[in-house]
Structure formats: structure tokens, C-alpha cells
């Protein structure tokens, strides 16, 4: 029985805290950054595979394409490992996002 609970309309920080708690509850890694990075890479691979399998239906609405559920699940897996790595570095992801976006806004983006 799990004691995990994610409130309605969570902030990104709420989700980060939830990810930390799920790692503790399930006895998963909370300290080895390299191992966690390998697991993130694995999950990114699973996401790309799911996207590839859905390519022919790529422009179909998710509600009309049950196979896109695979993509949805892998996106959740990637988010878990991404937030876990942030947690291991005491990084507030919202703050990191805001700071990087402010930096990005000052960049000149070249069109390919
Ligand atoms: Mg996965």
C-alpha cells in the first residue's frame, strides 16, 4: 500500500517532492547521479522508440490514437528521472527553467 499522494493542480516543486518521496518509498536510488543519468537515458530511448512506432499516426489526436498511450507513459518516465536528477543536485526546476529562459530570450536564434 502506497502512502504517495499528489495534490490536484500541483506545482512543479510539488511534483519534484513527489518524485523524491516515490524513490524513498520504493527503495530506489536517491544518491547515485551517474546511475540515475543512465536510467534517464534508457527512458529517453524508450520514449523515442514509442514516438517512432507512432510516426505514421503522428498527426492524429491522442484521443483517436490509443497507441500514443505508450508515448504518454514514457514521457512520464522521463520526467521522473529528470526530476530525480534535479533533486540529487538540489535544483529547483522551476527556478532553473525561469533563469534559463531569461538567458535564452537574450540569444539570437539562427534559422536552419
Ligand atoms: Mg519507460
Amino acid at each position: 500500500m502506497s502512502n504517495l499522494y499528489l495534490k490536484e493542480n500541483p506545482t512543479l516543486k510539488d511534483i519534484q517532492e513527489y518524485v523524491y518521496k516515490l524513490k524513498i518509498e520504493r527503495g530506489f536510488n536517491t544518491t547515485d547521479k551517474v546511475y540515475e543519468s543512465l536510467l534517464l537515458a534508457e527512458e529517453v530511448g524508450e520514449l523515442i522508440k514509442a514516438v517512432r512506432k507512432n510516426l505514421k499516426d503522428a498527426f492524429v489526436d491522442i484521443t483517436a490514437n490509443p497507441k500514443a498511450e505508450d508515448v504518454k507513459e514514457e514521457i512520464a518516465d522521463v520526467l521522473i528521472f529528470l526530476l530525480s536528477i534535479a533533486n540529487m543536485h538540489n535544483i529547483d526546476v522551476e527556478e532553473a527553467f525561469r533563469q534559463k529562459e531569461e538567458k535564452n530570450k537574450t540569444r539570437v536564434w539562427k534559422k536552419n
Side-chain angles (χ1 to χ4, degrees), residues 9 14 25 34 63 66 78 81 92 103:
N9 305 312
D14 292 329
E25 184 177 284
V34 173
T63 58
V78 168
F81 285 99
D92 178 322
K103 197 172 173 182

Side-chain angles (χ1 to χ4, degrees), residues 43 46 73-74 77:
E43 293 300 342
E46 289 176 11
E73 284 194 10
E74 299 308 336
D77 285 345

